Amino acid sequence: MSTFASQQQTPLYEPAEPRFTVHKAVYAIDPVTCTPERLFSTSSKQTDEEDPRRASSHAGSGDASHISILVVPHNDASAKPGGEGMVWVWAQVTPSSGGTSAGAAPMGSLALGMPPKAGFARTSASQLLDAGIDDPTTDIARRLSTKFRRPIYVSLNNVSNSTLAVAASGLSASAVSPAEELTALERCLFMELKQIL
């Protein structure tokens, strides 16, 4: 009888690891120093990250722009080392008047960066969805793919139009410029990908 009881407790199969994880983060860009400060970070794999309810206690100054980031890496256990699968990255810049909530934001642009193959020194990148002539998505996808040696899809929202957003919101002269905003955005993407990949 004890043998039967032990057989009932033994699982018939091992559950498979999830193929995708979800990682979210929100940063504030200080309008004076242009340095990003992480307000909130959470991952579907990690449980020891900061509690999202604490983000409001240090949400930065009222003039700070916010960067919302969503990263979805594909965890392919069958891939060779160094080629763990593709990564999808979405980021949005929200001016100070917009708060930190991404809401149902559209996909402003989309680019795919592919790491260099053996014998080639340059990473290739393709624009899949264009947001305008000044869209930096392809360049960012190329640099991130080169650094992390994985195919990376990058989608940016409110980045190529950040000049118009700053002008329309009537921010003061101490507000973050679009170029500084873009540099801070890329730094935040790098920090998040370095943490989870």
Side-chain angles (χ1 to χ4, degrees), residues 26 39-42 49-58 100:
V26 175
L39 302 179
F40 160 70
S41 177
T42 184
E49 295 291 337
E50 184 174 351
D51 186 342
R53 292 169 291 189
R54 292 178 52 200
S56 59
S57 65
H58 51 82
T100 60

Side-chain angles (χ1 to χ4, degrees), residues 10-136:
T10 305
L12 298 176
Y13 65 93
E14 289 293 322
E17 285 289 320
R19 297 187 72 180
F20 290 92
T21 56
V22 177
H23 180 81
K24 300 176 186 177
V26 175
Y27 285 81
I29 307 173
D30 186 280
V32 178
T33 63
C34 299
T35 55
E37 175 193 358
R38 182 188 286 149
L39 302 179
F40 160 70
S41 177
T42 184
S43 179
S44 61
K45 262 193 168 179
Q46 301 164 342
T47 57
D48 58 348
E49 295 291 337
E50 184 174 351
D51 186 342
R53 292 169 291 189
R54 292 178 52 200
S56 59
S57 65
H58 51 82
S61 70
D63 290 336
S65 295
H66 292 88
I67 297 174
S68 303
I69 297 173
L70 174 68
V71 180
V72 182
H74 180 246
N75 307 315
D76 188 359
S78 64
K80 294 182 271 187
E84 289 83 0
M86 70 93 181
V87 179
W88 188 81
V89 177
W90 177 88
Q92 172 175 293
V93 177
T94 308
S96 59
S97 58
T100 60
S101 175
M107 184 183 297
S109 63
L110 181 64
L112 169 62
M114 293 294 290
K117 294 183 179 180
F120 296 94
R122 185 168 168 80
T123 301
S124 62
S126 299
Q127 187 78 34
L128 304 176
L129 180 63
D130 195 359
I133 195 164
D134 62 341
D135 185 17

Side-chain angles (χ1 to χ4, degrees), residues 1-10:
M1 190 164 196
S2 61
T3 307
F4 178 72
S6 65
Q7 287 177 350
Q8 286 182 330
Q9 294 175 357
T10 305

Side-chain angles (χ1 to χ4, degrees), residues 136-176:
T137 311
T138 306
D139 294 330
I140 291 175
R142 181 181 292 115
R143 286 191 288 270
L144 292 176
S145 183
T146 300
K147 176 65 181 173
F148 295 102
R149 301 288 183 188
R150 294 173 77 160
I152 298 182
Y153 287 89
V154 177
S155 176
L156 303 179
N157 193 35
N158 273 3
V159 175
S160 61
N161 296 326
S162 55
T163 308
L164 297 176
V166 170
S169 62
L171 296 176
S172 66
S174 66
V176 179

